[in-house]
Amino acid sequence: MPPPEGTIARPQDSGCHGGRETMREAARAAGKSAVLERLAADYPQGPHDQPQSMCPAFGSLRVGLRMRRVATILSGSACCVYGLTFTSHFYGARRSVGYVPFDSETLVTGQLFEDIRDAVRRTAQPDAYDAVVVINLCVPTASGVPLDLLPREIDGVRVIGIDVPGFGVPTHAEAKDVLAGAMLRYARREAEAGAVARPRAGLAEERRITLLGELFPADPPGVAAMLAPMGLGVGPAVPAREWRDLYGALDCVAAAAVHPFYTASAREFEAAGRTLIGSAPVGEEATADWLDAVGRVAGIEAARIDRAKAAAIAPVRAALAANPVSARMIVSGYEGSELLVARLLIEAGAEIPYVGTALPATPWSEADRAWLAQQGTHVQFRASLEQDCAALRDVRPDLAFGTTPLVQAAKEAGVPAVYFTNIVSSRPIFGASGAAALAAIVAAQTRGRERFGRMIGFFAGDAAQAEEVC
């Protein structure tokens, strides 16, 4: 059965190069107003066009590709699909990505929807998959391709269709939440309807806290050790690695939004009656505040909370003392942990006048923003490259943690800089190990400032001229 008449927009109204507003208007005309309104509410845009980030759909694609027994099918322009699959495999994907191509005729007549449905039916093999994810990219979204009309399940295989247009989702980090939230909603409704499969690790004896965010692998065990004196544990994280882990994630005392932009996921935890906790156990002050918050939500007696704080904070304090940071820095990125990293570095002794993040302000980042403001740090949500570069010029830091273009600009100006995603996010930040790891990065990189100056002088002849590049 073809989709209802009037739901498919003409391709000339919604082509890739039509511009963001043109695409939005086409999507509204094609019946996607509710989708756009939800995306705008969950992921509010900043005053500028779009923050620094790769194609947003990469975030949703990444979440699906990292899950066991989950197939992903893309519906979009061939150039976009090529770029997304290339990036995914560059980041270590070890499975194929499905693709449903289209042309003007199949888009206008609704045949594209039929082709997607056929692809889902062929893919939904219960011996191979628990779920099939279909992702509409820009043109199918703007053209109104109605993924909500796909069957909810085929032979026990769940079918999840989402729209992740670049003109509706600002960053790939938030696109992780689009799929994670959709999966949590499906899993929550399954759990409410009856018995579900237990997590592969089995049922935990202790009550658990679920961590929201893609974390360094050593961080969840470190958090679990901090919670153990209160009789609490850490459940499966979201985004999950397996469908059944979603049930385990929902079976928690509270969810900790350690990456504070998972708005859709947070909504599902709240619908399940779970409390959301902001900030994270980084450094001394945030660790104490976070453990206090977790203990209150879990109904733990004050003496037991104090014992947990004492056990967690002592090694953090020792690590900060053993790994002092003496550097003037700026921090910017699109991972969602930028404020936490800045808090930890400041406690270690760094001076950080500016923190930029491509993500929006949320209730779960407010405590970190307020703490940084008290230290004299300006936090720029939805930071643009221009704002980051202005901070680079004004602050004249010893070291910059930043996005790829900011790192490039900093190095051209003779300022040591490292890519936040590949270097900072690939280290622990919680507990004592986080304090030691970040300090080591700063120490190693700031030693290279003189070398950068020599390079600038060699290639440009005048290092001062390079200061104007950003």
Side-chain angles (χ1 to χ4, degrees):
M1 179 185 71
E5 184 178 355
T7 61
I8 302 296
R10 294 177 60 81
Q12 60 263 38
D13 296 331
S14 55
C16 280
H17 308 292
R20 187 163 286 116
E21 283 306 318
T22 299
M23 300 282 272
R24 287 196 185 108
E25 288 305 314
R28 292 188 187 101
K32 291 283 186 177
S33 293
V35 170
L36 294 183
E37 288 169 6
R38 171 52 66 191
L39 293 176
D42 285 349
Y43 318 111
Q45 304 217 2
H48 52 82
D49 196 26
Q50 195 160 16
Q52 302 169 67
S53 175
M54 64 185 70
C55 171
F58 172 71
S60 293
L61 180 59
R62 175 182 171 89
V63 167
L65 287 176
R66 296 185 73 188
M67 291 182 70
R68 296 175 51 150
R69 293 180 53 83
V70 170
T72 304
I73 297 173
L74 296 176
S75 170
S77 299
C79 55
C80 299
V81 172
Y82 170 78
L84 286 168
T85 54
F86 178 89
T87 306
S88 296
H89 295 306
F90 176 81
Y91 275 87
R94 296 181 179 179
R95 67 181 76 172
S96 298
V97 179
Y99 169 45
V100 181
F102 65 86
D103 55 30
S104 296
E105 181 179 353
T106 60
L107 192 63
V108 170
T109 62
Q111 182 61 44
L112 173 57
F113 175 81
E114 298 291 334
D115 293 343
I116 292 172
R117 188 167 59 183
D118 290 344
V120 170
R121 285 173 172 160
R122 290 194 299 271
T123 305
Q125 303 298 321
D127 59 334
Y129 298 113
D130 294 325
V132 176
V133 175
V134 185
I135 302 175
N136 264 349
L137 305 182
C138 288
V139 171
T141 296
S143 302
V145 176
L147 298 182
D148 55 310
L149 296 184
L150 291 171
R152 278 183 50 81
E153 61 89 18
I154 299 173
D155 294 335
V157 179
R158 303 155 187 88
V159 178
I160 299 173
I162 55 174
D163 293 279
V164 191
F167 57 85
V169 181
T171 67
H172 78 277
E174 290 158 293
K176 297 176 186 176
D177 180 50
V178 176
L179 181 53
M183 288 184 161
L184 277 171
R185 182 170 62 253
Y186 200 122
R188 177 176 61 80
R189 290 173 176 171
E190 287 182 315
E192 291 170 348
V196 294
R198 68 176 59 198
R200 187 177 297 274
L203 300 177
E205 295 181 2
E206 76 278 1
R207 296 186 298 161
R208 299 186 296 189
I209 304 297
T210 294
L211 304 180
L212 269 176
E214 279 196 314
L215 305 176
F216 183 74
D219 273 333
V223 174
M226 296 183 200
L227 296 175
M230 291 191 284
L232 300 173
V234 170
V238 173
R241 291 303 184 94
E242 188 173 9
W243 186 270
R244 62 177 68 189
D245 285 345
L246 295 167
Y247 309 132
L250 288 164
D251 183 23
C252 63
V253 176
V258 292
H259 284 185
F261 58 87
Y262 280 83
T263 306
S265 299
R267 184 165 55 246
E268 297 307 318
F269 281 104
E270 289 172 340
R274 310 300 188 244
T275 301
L276 270 293
I277 299 169
S279 194
V282 296
E284 186 173 340
E285 288 189 46
T287 297
D289 292 343
W290 189 81
L291 289 173
D292 272 332
V294 171
R296 286 195 303 271
V297 169
I300 306 298
E301 59 270 23
R304 203 170 184 187
I305 295 174
D306 288 342
R307 286 197 297 271
K309 288 162 58 178
I313 291 171
V316 171
R317 186 180 293 137
L320 289 170
N323 298 277
V325 173
S326 179
R328 184 171 168 86
M329 299 177 60
I330 63 172
V331 174
S332 190
Y334 43 58
E335 297 297 322
S337 58
E338 293 78 25
L339 278 65
L340 299 176
V341 167
R343 285 196 67 160
L344 180 53
L345 289 169
I346 288 172
E347 282 202 2
E351 179 188 359
I352 304 181
Y354 173 86
V355 174
T357 176
L359 284 306
T362 70
W364 310 294
S365 62
E366 175 54 25
D368 298 320
R369 184 212 62 77
W371 188 92
L372 289 167
Q374 290 175 352
Q375 316 309 311
T377 300
H378 171 71
V379 177
Q380 181 62 57
F381 293 101
R382 289 290 191 225
S384 67
L385 176 59
E386 291 76 16
Q387 289 166 325
D388 285 353
C389 282
L392 181 67
R393 290 194 301 269
D394 295 343
V395 173
R396 305 179 74 85
D398 301 311
L399 175 64
F401 287 170
T403 58
T404 302
L406 177 62
V407 168
Q408 177 184 350
K411 290 182 176 179
E412 288 176 350
V415 176
V418 295
Y419 180 33
F420 192 100
T421 297
N422 282 7
I423 304 299
V424 181
S425 290
S426 63
R427 304 290 192 280
I429 63 170
F430 299 152
S433 57
L438 289 189
I441 297 173
V442 176
Q445 295 299 323
T446 52
R447 286 196 296 266
R449 175 136 202 179
E450 183 181 350
R451 175 170 51 86
F452 273 106
R454 292 199 306 270
M455 290 171 60
I456 291 292
F458 178 81
F459 287 107
D462 184 358
Q465 291 179 2
E467 297 282 349
E468 303 299 323
V469 72
C470 190

